[in-house]
Amino acid sequence: MIPYGRQSISEDDIQAVVDVLRSDFLTQGPIVPKFEKKVCDYTTAKYAIAVNSGTSALHLACLALGLTKGDWFWTTPVSFVASANCGLYCGAQVDFVDIDPLTWNMSTEKLKEKLVQAKHEDRLPKVLVAVHFCGLPCDMEEIYVLSQEYGFRIIEDACHAIGGRYQDEPVGNCRYSDITVFSFHPVKTITTGEGGMAITNDKKLAEKMELLRSHGITRNPNLMTHVPDGPWYYQQIDLGFNYRMTDIQAALGNSQMYRLDDFVSKRHKIAERYRKMLADLPLHLPHSSTSKYSGFHLYVVRLLSEKVTGTHREIFDALRGKGIGVNSHYIPIHTQPFYQKMGFRCGDFPQAESYYAETISLPMYPDLTKDMQEKVVDALRELL
Ligand SMILES: *Cc1c(COP(=O)(O)O)cnc(C)c1O
């Protein structure tokens, strides 16, 4: 089976991990800050907090922004459930903004309309999570302008988008957001096995996330209620978690950072080949824009249903039957039973739902060969 995504591990990556295993620190050592610095340098952001998953990074980001019970939290319905769950962890009420049928990102027009209405009803969001779906950046400048007008904070869920660019600047520079979050799960662009990171230019937000990453414990005398009892002393000044990344993971991430630009340019080559080879088929292909350089975490195509004879399910099953590990990203979050119990209904976000009925994620990862890609295209061509 050709998978839809997979990691690429080099001998250097392996050696970097082995070196940590032979060193003094498996965790809380020097490699985590080294990895954080590397990501800061790459994104040009000031602060980075490495954690044990993208989900943890989203949770810390929401907490740092003060999201709590009684607040509203908005995101897109077409994302991994973690993009919405992080708001629920904080006790906030979650709502969604439907997607744009062309870009598949949160629709900026719908966001505008929803904000006007929410202002009227006095239920404006405190935090908005903008997901750069498949790696394509959202309209961050427009969203930022709206955030100034309506007074909400912005988290970029860039779990798909490390290595991407917006207005010719790196995703993660937080020019138009408070915090950006990355995931380093093996299907993502670079990996640490499991892992994630929150990036910000705001010192206060960074300090808060750093504190909460490790139980709310500090060793900084300036933050303590009294002079330290001795050199062993620490204080717990908030309720945090153990969301730490290990040095083993950070070593892999650090080594993968050297390969990031190569990974993304390979993904673009693969996307370009798909675009040419699939151009005459009844498919809606990924959107592109001159101001946005996608991270191309995923290569999603959408069936033009009225021009296709088989059903989405039949085509999906037939591709799997031919050894092509296609997938579906994502089942709209509001249709999940857990969210339905909260009162969401099918029909609430029609663009997300019709997208879901037609979507297929094709194999996309740096080591996908031309031969494998031709096999994917041939299978699709035969079926369509
Ligand atoms: C993968 C992913 C996450 C969660 O990241 P983990 O590292 O798996 O916790 C969150 N949001 C999006 C959009 C993702 O793709």
Side-chain angles (χ1 to χ4, degrees), residues 156-232:
E156 292 177 69
D157 180 341
C159 289
H160 297 183
I162 194 169
R165 296 176 76 79
Y166 176 69
Q167 296 178 344
D168 212 24
E169 291 181 352
V171 168
N173 68 352
C174 300
R175 181 178 295 286
Y176 298 115
S177 65
D178 295 288
I179 300 169
T180 300
V181 164
F182 296 129
S183 164
F184 308 126
H185 182 277
V187 296
K188 307 290 164 70
T189 308
I190 64 163
T191 189
T192 60
E194 296 279 0
M197 203 177 276
I199 321 287
T200 184
N201 291 320
D202 183 318
K203 189 158 185 242
K204 286 235 153 57
L205 294 177
E207 281 173 355
K208 180 94 177 169
M209 291 192 286
E210 195 182 346
L211 192 68
L212 296 179
R213 164 174 68 179
S214 195
H215 308 281
I217 283 174
T218 184
R219 289 177 185 280
N220 179 353
N222 297 329
L223 298 177
M224 292 183 189
T225 55
H226 58 77
V227 177
D229 291 352
W232 66 86

Side-chain angles (χ1 to χ4, degrees), residues 51-66:
V51 289
N52 58 0
S53 72
T55 305
S56 302
L58 283 167
H59 186 193
L60 293 188
C62 288
L63 288 172
L65 292 172

